Amino acid sequence: MSAVKELIGKPAEWLSGENEESELVLSSRVRLARNIDKLPFTHTGREKVMADICGTLKETLSSVRSMKGALVIEMDETSEPDRMMLAERHLITLDVVKNYRDRALVVRPNEKLSVMINEEDHIRLQAIESGLSIRQAFTSVDRLDNELDRQLTYAFSENLGYLTACPTNVGTGLRVSAMIHLPGLVHNKDIAQVLDGLRNVRLTVRGIYGEGTEVMGNLFQVSNSVTLGLSEADTVKNIETHIRKVLEFEKKAREVLLKKARSLLEDKIWRAYGILKSARLVGSKEAMGLISAVRMGIGLGIITDVPMAVMNEILIMIQPMHLQALYNKPMIPSERDRVRADYIRSRLGK
Amino acid sequence: MSAVKELIGKPAEWLSGENEESELVLSSRVRLARNIDKLPFTHTGREKVMADICGTLKETLSSVRSMKGALVIEMDETSEPDRMMLAERHLITLDVVKNYRDRALVVRPNEKLSVMINEEDHIRLQAIESGLSIRQAFTSVDRLDNELDRQLTYAFSENLGYLTACPTNVGTGLRVSAMIHLPGLVHNKDIAQVLDGLRNVRLTVRGIYGEGTEVMGNLFQVSNSVTLGLSEADTVKNIETHIRKVLEFEKKAREVLLKKARSLLEDKIWRAYGILKSARLVGSKEAMGLISAVRMGIGLGIITDVPMAVMNEILIMIQPMHLQALYNKPMIPSERDRVRADYIRSRLGK
């Protein structure tokens, strides 16, 4: 069994629906960009150099404590569908799907900690945790960073901080994000105002698959855009504070909804659940909307017979390449709509 | 317990989904209009006369064999909601709901045979059977007619036949109808052409509640419009022949649908079933549409865990007055939408 197949055989642990605010926050993610001193950035380096860097880093990573037992996935040895699947799991970027030479992913089997080698930067460390666990994610990524720092010499400037291939990451090289679920604010139409507020404090809001992607299932990825002039600790604290404010707004919106239109809300939630349990064809966008309603239903204690983790896992598993992997064949979209519906039904029981 | 309450405590037997073509034909109905010779028609008669007629007819009916064990419901003694409910069960007309003085309903507990006294005509005999059972319905209504004929003198003209209050019924006084379910023809849009064809052979097509009512749930009531110049037997034979033709068209439409768009059709059917099993609010029109899809699903063998009878019973029980009676209180429409959804869920199980 290939490492990729081994991974997708079970759900990523950060989908567990555990930890604080996990009804409103799907996951928290912390990413650090690092480069090795005196070596060319990936976009300027020649193949031989990149291959050497990849080799060195794999070796280093295999020796550090945080990555004990990690799987090493050489991108050269993967198929494009497998890489797409890794992207759907948020382990690699779409850039790596396309440009896979001399790149690798080192990932712990629970997928909470991983390293991309030779993406935009030589090293991209990533920690994902369930719920609102930004500090927890930062702690594990920071620990790994320190372990690597002992063995490698990072490209670092006293003035600027960590040097990165793209200037937007220079400084801390830190990107903190949370995937938050805001159906209440979307429903009461306050969402635009709330997102504006986040942008005003220099946070970025994106759809579930990052930059340039559409918002689906009322899931918003909120991340910091500043990496320069703010310490790592302040970055983490700042984004967490703002996210907590948004969560308060979402809770208020849900409260008001329950108070003013409980029957309509319950009906919407139960119908969504009913459709997911019975449909024979379902597109990915519609599915996300239905899952969103059921997640809210679980959050409000209206639906009690399905764990949040199951909904979170479905969210990841119904993506195109995951479905193909699950059913072990390439499929046209209409076939995927069928197996997507089949998969969802199988997870939600009869 | 009042006679009305006794009736609605259990489903009418003609909803059993038994007999021929019951997947496509909800019910077959035969009605005979009769008047007593030398007595004024109901719209011209004074109260005293009408009261006398009502008394006489109740007595006569209590003595005939076909009506043994029948319930006698004096309209004067019923509440308007109860009368509405009887109308929803197709036992009395909306006219009787409003104008109830000196009128009565005599009905066998299984509701397959009943007599309205002093509606438009002194006597309206009605037989309803499940499925395509026009001849069976005619036989029982005809037997009752003969039994009454032995004790009463009907208003009859050698030239015209039976005399009735409204000229459209003069002759046989016979109205034969079937409630047919044509979702396939509605879906493939051939329905307009098929209905035109029926009108061309002088059949009338109406919605589920008769004259002037909207078609809901793809249920069409087809009845003869000619009562003069055609024997009873020919009337029955004629309408049955035409209905059988329509049923063939419907079957073809379903076959083509299954062949060309099986997945879409199955999805539509299963979603309808899922929504009925989970919704918390459902309007009567939407419910009829969903029931229509599930009925078709049962007919096509796609849905196998719910008997047709249950869907037929739901069709009747979710009407406004039935819901009020079931929950024993008057309700505004939004409350009814809630109890309608509750009732449907309770019938379809978890």
Side-chain angles (χ1 to χ4, degrees), chain B residues 52-66:
Chain B
D52 285 350
I53 293 173
C54 192
T56 307
L57 288 177
K58 281 191 293 184
E59 216 179 286
T60 310
L61 283 162
S62 71
S63 73
V64 299
R65 198 166 168 183
S66 289

Side-chain angles (χ1 to χ4, degrees), chain A residues 90-312:
Chain A
H90 300 281
L91 288 171
I92 66 172
T93 58
L94 288 173
D95 181 47
V96 176
V97 175
K98 275 192 212 154
N99 307 304
Y100 49 89
R101 291 293 305 272
D102 301 316
R103 291 176 158 185
L105 169 72
V106 182
V107 53
R108 295 197 48 150
N110 66 12
E111 299 178 45
K112 285 162 79 170
L113 194 60
S114 62
V115 179
M116 263 191 300
I117 299 175
N118 285 342
E119 204 249 14
E120 195 177 272
D121 298 293
H122 297 147
I123 309 175
R124 286 273 175 111
L125 297 81
Q126 170 179 281
I128 315 188
E129 294 284 341
S130 173
L132 185 61
S133 311
I134 294 174
R135 271 172 289 184
Q136 196 177 325
F138 179 74
T139 302
S140 51
V141 103
D142 189 47
R143 186 187 303 124
L144 174 57
D145 186 38
N146 290 334
E147 288 168 359
L148 293 177
D149 202 7
R150 266 174 242 136
Q151 302 198 40
L152 303 165
T153 308
Y154 283 151
F156 184 81
S157 142
E158 281 302 327
N159 277 338
L160 296 169
Y162 293 100
L163 300 177
T164 57
C166 178
T168 58
N169 292 313
V170 168
T172 55
L174 173 67
R175 183 82 68 227
V176 179
S177 68
M179 192 76 76
I180 58 182
H181 185 219
L182 307 175
L185 290 170
V186 170
H187 189 274
N188 78 4
K189 299 195 169 54
D190 282 350
I191 190 71
Q193 205 184 334
V194 169
L195 299 185
D196 278 350
L198 290 173
R199 289 186 195 107
N200 283 342
V201 294
R202 297 172 79 187
L203 296 179
T204 302
V205 183
R206 292 164 171 164
I208 184 167
Y209 300 118
E211 209 166 336
T213 64
E214 201 184 349
V215 169
M216 287 200 288
N218 304 313
L219 284 164
F220 297 83
Q221 197 188 94
V222 178
S223 61
N224 65 308
S225 41
V226 178
T227 54
L228 206 53
L230 202 66
S231 73
E232 292 173 338
D234 284 345
T235 304
V236 166
K237 200 174 143 190
N238 181 47
I239 193 168
E240 186 169 330
T241 305
H242 290 297
I243 285 174
R244 283 192 191 276
K245 268 184 213 153
V246 174
L247 300 185
E248 286 317 305
F249 290 136
E250 171 66 16
K251 286 176 194 170
K252 281 247 170 65
R254 293 181 180 199
E255 252 173 52
V256 172
L257 253 174
L258 269 183
K259 214 164 161 183
K260 289 199 178 166
R262 184 175 196 111
S263 296
L264 281 169
L265 182 66
E266 288 182 342
D267 183 54
K268 192 189 152 155
I269 288 166
W270 281 108
R271 278 175 185 242
Y273 193 32
I275 291 172
L276 287 174
K277 288 206 284 188
S278 61
R280 259 56 183 172
L281 292 174
V282 66
S284 121
K285 202 168 167 179
E286 186 196 2
M288 298 281 280
L290 298 169
I291 291 167
S292 170
V294 174
R295 276 194 108 259
M296 174 153 72
I298 298 171
L300 294 173
I302 291 168
I303 290 181
T304 54
D305 63 348
V306 54
M308 194 62 100
V310 169
M311 296 316 293
N312 293 349

Side-chain angles (χ1 to χ4, degrees), chain B residues 231-243:
Chain B
S231 73
E232 292 173 337
D234 284 345
T235 304
V236 166
K237 199 175 144 190
N238 181 48
I239 192 168
E240 186 169 330
T241 304
H242 290 296
I243 285 175

Side-chain angles (χ1 to χ4, degrees), chain B residues 61-95:
Chain B
L61 283 162
S62 71
S63 73
V64 299
R65 198 166 168 183
S66 289
M67 296 310 275
K68 212 173 158 185
L71 303 166
V72 178
I73 301 172
E74 307 270 3
M75 289 301 136
D76 296 297
E77 292 169 7
T78 58
S79 65
E80 187 170 307
D82 278 355
R83 289 195 299 281
M84 279 296 298
M85 211 172 55
L86 294 172
E88 287 175 352
R89 277 176 109 92
H90 301 280
L91 289 170
I92 66 173
T93 57
L94 288 173
D95 181 47

Side-chain angles (χ1 to χ4, degrees), chain A residues 263-264 266-267 270-271 274-275 278-282 286 338, chain B residues 263-264 266-267 270-271 274-275 278-282 286 338:
Chain A
S263 296
L264 281 169
E266 288 182 342
D267 183 54
W270 281 108
R271 278 175 185 242
I275 291 172
S278 61
R280 259 56 183 172
L281 292 174
V282 66
E286 186 196 2
R338 194 163 44 71
Chain B
S263 295
L264 281 169
E266 289 182 342
D267 184 54
W270 282 108
R271 279 176 184 241
I275 291 171
S278 61
R280 261 54 183 174
L281 292 174
V282 65
E286 186 196 1
R338 195 162 44 71

